[in-house]
Amino acid sequence: MKLAAPALAVLTLLAAGAARAEVLDAQSNGFATKRSVVVAKPAAEVWAALVQPAKWWSSEHTWSGSAANLSLGAASGACFCEKMPNGGSVLHMTTVNAQPGKQLTLFGGLGPLQLSGASGHMIWALTEKDGKTTVTWSYDAGGYMRGGLDKIAPIVDQVLGQQQDRLKAYVETGKAG
């Protein structure tokens, strides 16, 4: 079943002990994660890659099984969307604040959060200094999820950390992983 694949992949990664970003807070009704990484490229290059998730997002963490189906509109009201087989589609998140080279804010739920009453704000903030860019990625989610959002926070945190690592690798080397 296609819908179960992303959740299974997330759990597999967690079991494998991959590196995690930081869970700042986790309660039954919400969580906050945050992670920063320095990319050895100017903010304009990081931004150009950031808005092309098909080039760096992991296919394991898509509903369709292929990151090539992802798109990200960098204008308010646009979406982080995915094309599905047979003409279907998924709206993962909606862009609510786009400041090229500085910040991209999205609202919605990723992966298993879409199957619950939870959603949140994801912020990618870019700060350039000496030709290098610090990318700070935070995701604050809240709402209802059976069993509590605190249980899924470390998994979401880990998957987002993996995506940030893939973005960094893509910008610096041209290959996501």
Side-chain angles (χ1 to χ4, degrees):
M1 179 175 176
K2 287 283 184 191
L3 293 180
L8 180 60
V10 168
L11 293 174
T12 301
L13 278 174
L14 184 64
R20 292 187 340 169
E22 182 181 0
V23 175
L24 300 175
D25 187 26
Q27 307 291 322
S28 63
N29 64 343
F31 63 83
T33 74
K34 185 174 183 178
R35 182 176 192 243
S36 292
V37 66
V38 176
V39 180
K41 295 288 182 173
E45 289 184 45
V46 175
W47 178 268
L50 176 64
V51 298
Q52 297 182 63
K55 296 189 176 193
W56 54 269
W57 195 272
S58 171
S59 290
E60 292 177 350
H61 299 290
T62 65
W63 292 115
S64 67
S66 175
N69 293 322
L70 296 173
S71 63
L72 176 55
S76 295
C79 72
F80 180 22
C81 290
E82 182 174 353
K83 290 184 273 182
M84 297 293 287
N86 301 319
S89 63
V90 178
L91 177 120
H92 294 288
M93 305 185 94
T94 302
T95 302
V96 295
N97 184 341
Q99 299 176 44
K102 295 183 179 181
Q103 180 175 307
L104 184 64
T105 304
L106 307 173
F107 180 77
L110 294 172
L113 295 180
Q114 284 193 339
L115 305 174
S116 72
S119 62
H121 275 91
M122 179 176 292
I123 301 171
W124 287 304
L126 292 88
T127 307
E128 185 178 336
K129 182 178 180 184
D130 300 327
K132 296 181 181 179
T133 304
T134 299
V135 179
T136 302
W137 191 331
S138 59
Y139 189 40
D140 294 349
Y144 175 77
M145 178 177 238
R146 189 175 303 173
L149 286 168
D150 53 331
K151 306 296 187 291
I152 198 167
I155 299 167
V156 171
D157 174 72
Q158 179 184 2
V159 170
L160 292 178
Q162 177 194 35
Q163 303 321 308
Q164 189 181 45
D165 289 343
R166 291 176 61 85
L167 172 64
K168 174 182 168 61
Y170 176 72
V171 174
E172 292 180 345
T173 70
K175 297 180 183 178

